[in-house]
Amino acid sequence: MGLFKRFFHNDETVAERREDADEKLFFEQDEQNQKKIGHNVLDHCEQIIETAKELEDEKKEYKIVTDYLTDIEVIGELPDAEQELIKEAAEQVAKLNQARDTYLNTSKKISDVQFLMIEQLEEEVPDLIRKLQTNETYQTTVKRDMSYLDGEKLQWTLRRSQLREELERLRIGAVGVFTVFCLGMILLVVLQLGFDIQVSLAWMIWVFLCTLCGFLIFVRYQSDVSEIKRCETNANHAISLLNKVKIKYVNVTNAVDYACEKYHVKNAKEFEYQWEQYQEAVREKEKYMRTNDDLEYYSKKLVRLLRAHRLYDPKVWIDQPQALYNAKEMSEIKHNLLVQRQKLRDQIAYNMKIIQNERALVERLMKLHPEYEKEIREIIESVDRLMSENK
């Protein structure tokens, strides 16, 4: 495949990746009673800053992809005479590359595509490996946090359901006690008036027993109501944290998947192994390149011809000269870039939506708590200034 296969292509859509990324709070939760408004606003602002950083990186990558697509259009619109010069130089580079690869294949342990990709990013690869390792570790940590919070949410939700069922049983029990009390009272009245039986003691015992049962039911009922409120508060707290963690998981998972697709590896360990193999192959390559003056000459000629047309990255075509004289290769490169740009566009749209949603939540807090509007606006202005400084 072509040079730009270092850019990702993932069949899983961004929408599928982010499905169920948000949880809803219980409707019983009264937001007017929430405390620590400033702390909540800071949480939302922190999310805005983190998402803005992700957005900025995606926009930079989007611009790079667009610049490569622009280069392809410029090359395609060149006059026939200039295209012919470029094709001749590219064919010479391709032939010399093939001769070089024939030599290098005796010692290389990685594919040509992987070798070319690492060669383009040689100075950045160690940092890229460390970044991928860090993201994979963070992804594992966030996933573990998600599992814990999801379990906690489920635990409090189930407990809340059990208590609601118990409240229903207590209501039925209260009705039963009242019914039995009335029947007993009727029976005692009948015995006293109809049969002239003294039931004063029975009256006191019966009233005492029914009152005791009613009191116990009432105490239990109040305890369950309080417990339900506590369950809802804890469940809502777990859901709020889970929503934040899910957004972080989506972003770090996208970063890991994007890096793996871009660099044609399954994980950081494989990337590190291929880097070691590349370094070994480079040492062999240098032995050959020292005597390969023709390849150097035609490579410089090709770059010089391309640079005359102010391309974004003329040197990149040295590693994929076939695309300059093979329309199929060029079409494949363009397709991969278009797919990647659409992926980045989806990621940008998603993160912009996150920022909008977080800002909407802050605005909602200001409406619910107008007494804190001044403090909240100061926090938002500080966040805006910080985001502007980081651009």
Side-chain angles (χ1 to χ4, degrees), residues 13-23 47-48 50-52 54-55 58-59 242-254 342-358:
T13 65
V14 175
E16 291 170 344
R17 169 71 48 73
R18 291 145 182 167
E19 185 178 1
D20 194 31
D22 296 318
E23 296 278 351
Q47 185 61 57
I48 290 173
E50 290 180 2
T51 306
E54 294 284 341
L55 185 62
E58 290 162 359
K59 286 182 177 179
L242 184 60
N243 286 337
K244 293 174 62 177
V245 171
K246 280 186 176 181
I247 292 173
K248 293 180 180 180
Y249 181 76
V250 167
N251 283 326
V252 73
T253 300
N254 282 334
Q342 182 59 47
K343 297 280 187 181
L344 288 169
R345 188 180 290 122
D346 291 342
Q347 290 183 12
I348 290 170
Y350 171 75
N351 280 325
M352 290 180 67
K353 181 180 178 182
I354 290 297
I355 292 175
Q356 292 171 357
N357 290 342
E358 292 296 325

Side-chain angles (χ1 to χ4, degrees), residues 217-357:
I217 290 174
F218 174 80
V219 171
R220 184 63 179 180
Y221 188 95
Q222 290 299 110
S223 175
D224 286 353
V225 169
S226 299
E227 182 70 6
I228 286 175
K229 291 181 180 179
R230 189 172 73 89
C231 289
E232 290 176 353
T233 300
N234 290 336
N236 284 336
H237 180 65
I239 289 172
S240 297
L241 292 177
L242 184 60
N243 286 337
K244 293 174 62 177
V245 171
K246 280 186 176 181
I247 292 173
K248 293 180 180 180
Y249 181 76
V250 167
N251 283 326
V252 73
T253 300
N254 282 334
V256 170
D257 289 351
Y258 180 84
C260 290
E261 289 290 338
K262 183 176 181 180
Y263 307 124
H264 303 292
V265 294
K266 295 180 180 179
N267 48 47
K269 186 176 181 180
E270 182 180 351
F271 198 8
E272 186 175 13
Y273 171 79
Q274 292 189 350
W275 168 241
E276 293 171 355
Q277 297 304 313
Y278 167 80
Q279 290 176 308
E280 181 179 347
V282 165
R283 287 190 287 270
E284 296 296 324
K285 172 185 174 182
E286 288 172 351
K287 296 177 182 179
Y288 177 73
M289 289 296 292
R290 282 193 291 267
T291 60
N292 198 347
D293 295 334
D294 287 343
L295 179 59
E296 182 179 357
Y297 168 77
Y298 283 107
S299 295
K300 289 182 178 180
K301 181 179 179 180
L302 180 59
V303 171
R304 185 171 63 253
L305 290 171
L306 293 172
R307 184 173 288 148
H309 302 288
R310 300 180 180 278
L311 297 186
Y312 168 71
D313 187 6
K315 292 183 179 180
V316 78
W317 299 101
I318 294 298
D319 298 316
Q320 189 64 34
Q322 294 90 341
L324 295 173
Y325 61 85
N326 187 320
K328 184 178 179 181
E329 285 281 342
M330 184 66 81
S331 177
E332 185 176 1
I333 289 173
K334 185 175 182 179
H335 171 74
N336 289 338
L337 287 172
L338 289 172
V339 170
Q340 185 216 357
R341 188 166 66 172
Q342 182 59 47
K343 297 280 187 181
L344 288 169
R345 188 180 290 122
D346 291 342
Q347 290 183 12
I348 290 170
Y350 171 75
N351 280 325
M352 290 180 67
K353 181 180 178 182
I354 290 297
I355 292 175
Q356 292 171 357
N357 290 342

Side-chain angles (χ1 to χ4, degrees), residues 28 36 64 78 83 103-104 107 131 161 167 197 212 222 236 268 280 289 334 339 357 380:
E28 290 85 351
K36 299 182 180 179
I64 292 173
L78 292 176
Q83 286 197 25
Y103 171 82
L104 294 175
S107 59
K131 183 177 180 180
S161 299
L167 285 182
I197 300 175
L212 179 62
Q222 290 299 110
N236 284 336
E280 181 179 347
M289 289 296 292
K334 185 175 182 179
V339 170
N357 290 342
I380 288 296

